[in-house]
Amino acid sequence: MFLFECCSSIRFGKETKVKNLRPRRRSSISGLRLGDDGESVGLLNGEAEREAETAEQRYWNRVNAVELDWASLDGDKMLHLRLIEAANIRGADRSGTSDAYVVAWLQPMLDKVKVQGESQRSTTIWRTNDPVWNEVFTFLVPRHFDINNTMLVVDLFDEDKVLSNEFLGRVRVPLAKLANAEARGQMTGWFDLHTADDTAKTEGNIHFHAVFDHDHRLAQAEQTERFELHRKQVLHHVASTNFTRYLDEYESEAKDRQVSVHVCTWNVGNTPPADDLSAWLQPGHDIYVVGSQECKYDPRKPHSSCKDDWRASIMGQLGEKEYKLVYEENLWEMRLLIAVRHEIEPLVKNIHGHHEATGIAHVLGNKGGLVVSMLVRDTSLCFVNSHLAAHQGESKRRNHDVYEIIKEVRVGKPNMDILHQFAHVVWMGDLNYRLDYGDQGTAESPSAEQHAEMLALIADGQRAKLFATDQLRAEMAAERVFVGFEEGDPSKFDPTFKMIKNELNGYNKKRSPAWCDRIVRRSMPGFHIEQTAYNSAPTVCSSDHKPVYATFKVHTAEPVLGVDDSLGDAFLTVQSMKLRPIVKDGASPEALPQCRVVFYSSILRDQVPSEPRKGEEAPSWGKKDVPVMKLDINNTERLRKSFVMLQVYKTAGASADDLLGNGLLMVDEWVENQEQFHSSTVRLSRGGIPVAHLDLSMKLHWIDGLAEFEQPPPVDPRQLFMFESAKSNSAYQIGPSSWTPPEADEQA
């Protein structure tokens, strides 16, 4: 439950003034909703609480049993709006975040401007993509107000102290939808943000409760405590019952919904593709991620460019009646297309792309990577299509290409690399890793005898013997590239390079056969993905590479509300930290430069830096060196899927060049060990390469009203739980019998 403390007021209509109150959680007190027939009950604890719950349940059973048309009820009404939080909103500032605030108002649909009373504005939450307000607004809706032609409008803005504030999105809810018999005057849920004219969705969504309250008398009462408790109980009932959700997009009833994702890669060989690509683009999936390399050829009629021709080939195979192209990224001869089934398109949002050239002088785009990120419901996905350095003896260059892509590419939050902010990262492409089979060494071409020996192994089905010499698997095992990534078994299909064009299974003698075309993936702990296929398409023969595809079942979840009224504020307290550099190949450990640890997360209001530590071999921090971190959310279910990013910087600055390493702290580990200090080790990496370990002891705990840091003002419960009882025409009270209600209550 929560109390309310006064923070502002608004006027609506001509005479009535309604207080706007901000909630403050306090789990030790609960109360009841005032009935429409005047019956009311107050409670503190124990027997009184059980008696009151029975009375409350009787009241709501009566309400829910009747198909009320709330719009037709006589008299004035109140509209309560509890604004809780937003998720995944657009970053309007250079930091990739926004300074978010909300303005709520009522808009007559026949008027072009708002004319009915003043708008109500939330506080500003600074530097975030997931703001949490937990504030309440109340509008008085006079009896003459045309509910059937009025919208509740919730606008989201980015506050700018220098320039004009930037519009981020809007939610519009018809009051008639809220007031009809099906909704019973209440709704809650996640609402997608749209453009101002409602023609398209924007990034992010907002969670709020809205409820009509026909007992308008308390809004006009002099005793604000009665109104505060009344509103609290009305909103609490909406939050704790099965309510009508106002969502206009396709939505599954299940919290956890599987989405089928088809990821495919092909070095096209600068040759027009065949008309039939069904062996590669397997039918029947929800999302298609199509990566291509060396995709530049003379376009076929009626297309004027290779890009248009390639797009038409892909979408023609998938079928534009069933699928929609939602994103396309290009860099020289590399392309990355995202197509989704029409029925799940509303679940796919926040699509961003970027690219990084790793070719000549790290400027030319003949080699490099294309990156696209997106949200599917509340699950974040990132896809990378890359073309790495060629040639037999260039594994080290290929490793460095991957390092550069991870280090330099920026999607999502600019100060976080792609490995530390997405639930799943799937990396595809012509990765160009070869086989170190026999005595070929770094020579470009194998001997005729060795080439024949390798072909014989393929023909006899002994691919595993060949694959045991795969360069990529060796580099991953040594943690020199793709650390933390997983892959299916490529030895289940034939090597995909170097093929003779337009032959089904012929290999060019100039190069050793190899599995150059690969798909690898990495997932955060607690996020589920299942690989269901990994194969090549041997019948597609127009290139010197065979296409490769992988299919996945991705478990996607709807957003989880971050605020739990039954809990106090959540905090992370660090007891100790120690930084240990990773020393490889028998080298002697060296002293680190003066550094500090920065905690960064969407669940933190701001970055939290530790005290700096002078350069030493293994710097350490104590409890006084790291501030206590107050979390913006306190719901344990949401915390289980949350993470905190650890970034170690040189103390002299905090630019990308000063970054020593990144690490992920999954909060779920501390949810399991809550209210006690728990030790864990976080591996730090830079560009995907491990550089250090951070040992830390930390505690996740909940504090009721910041009791450990500041003592809240005393509350007289007798003032909060005294109501009029219409049946007995006398005051009903729980508490000392010597206490009597004020005269104003007797006349209410």
Side-chain angles (χ1 to χ4, degrees), residues 729-747:
N729 199 26
S730 63
Y732 180 93
Q733 74 176 72
I734 295 177
S737 58
S738 60
W739 187 80
T740 56
E743 183 177 353
D745 275 351
E746 296 175 358
Q747 298 175 357

Side-chain angles (χ1 to χ4, degrees), residues 446-507:
S447 65
E449 293 78 8
Q450 182 172 309
H451 192 269
E453 182 180 335
M454 299 174 78
L455 294 188
L457 290 174
I458 296 171
D460 292 342
Q462 298 185 51
R463 293 182 296 260
K465 187 175 181 179
L466 276 181
F467 188 71
T469 65
D470 178 68
Q471 292 177 348
L472 177 57
R473 282 297 173 95
E475 295 300 305
M476 291 174 67
E479 294 194 334
R480 289 189 288 263
V481 73
F482 291 121
V483 179
F485 280 78
E486 301 178 19
E487 184 187 18
D489 187 0
S491 69
K492 298 293 185 182
F493 52 88
D494 289 347
T496 58
F497 174 85
K498 178 175 176 83
M499 313 304 300
I500 299 175
K501 290 186 177 182
N502 299 316
E503 288 190 14
L504 186 62
N505 55 6
Y507 287 91

Side-chain angles (χ1 to χ4, degrees), residues 92-93 97-101 156-160 165-168:
D93 302 331
T97 61
S98 290
D99 304 322
Y101 71 92
L156 179 66
F157 293 91
D158 168 61
E159 182 170 333
D160 198 311
N165 297 339
E166 186 171 350
F167 177 80
L168 299 178

Side-chain angles (χ1 to χ4, degrees), residues 158-225:
D158 168 61
E159 182 170 333
D160 198 311
K161 295 182 178 179
V162 179
L163 304 175
S164 59
N165 297 339
E166 186 171 350
F167 177 80
L168 299 178
R170 167 173 293 175
V171 174
R172 297 206 310 164
V173 179
L175 292 192
K177 188 83 174 180
L178 172 61
N180 66 22
E182 180 183 359
R184 295 193 177 120
Q186 54 187 331
M187 66 173 60
T188 189
W190 290 95
F191 298 80
D192 283 337
L193 290 166
H194 291 73
T195 56
D197 57 4
D198 273 343
T199 58
K201 291 183 180 180
T202 60
E203 294 182 25
N205 42 31
I206 294 182
H207 194 289
F208 58 77
H209 306 329
V211 58
F212 265 127
D213 180 2
H214 63 88
D215 197 340
H216 66 280
R217 297 168 298 170
L218 287 179
Q220 305 176 29
E222 296 293 333
Q223 287 73 34
T224 59
E225 291 87 353

Side-chain angles (χ1 to χ4, degrees), residues 39 73 489-490 561 597 633 730 737:
E39 179 186 7
L73 291 175
D489 187 0
L561 194 61
V597 180
I633 64 175
S730 63
S737 58

Side-chain angles (χ1 to χ4, degrees), residues 54-66:
T54 303
E56 180 188 28
Q57 189 60 50
R58 287 199 304 270
Y59 171 79
W60 287 111
N61 286 342
R62 291 199 305 273
V63 171
N64 293 330
V66 179

Side-chain angles (χ1 to χ4, degrees), residues 638-676:
R638 173 82 166 270
L639 287 171
R640 289 184 184 277
K641 293 296 182 72
S642 299
F643 61 90
V644 176
M645 185 173 184
L646 305 176
Q647 298 176 309
V648 181
Y649 288 99
K650 297 178 184 178
T651 306
S655 68
D657 291 336
D658 300 316
L659 180 66
L660 299 178
N662 298 303
L664 270 185
L665 186 70
M666 300 305 299
V667 182
D668 178 59
E669 188 174 346
W670 277 265
V671 174
E672 293 294 333
N673 299 274
Q674 57 187 273
E675 303 296 342
Q676 58 183 337

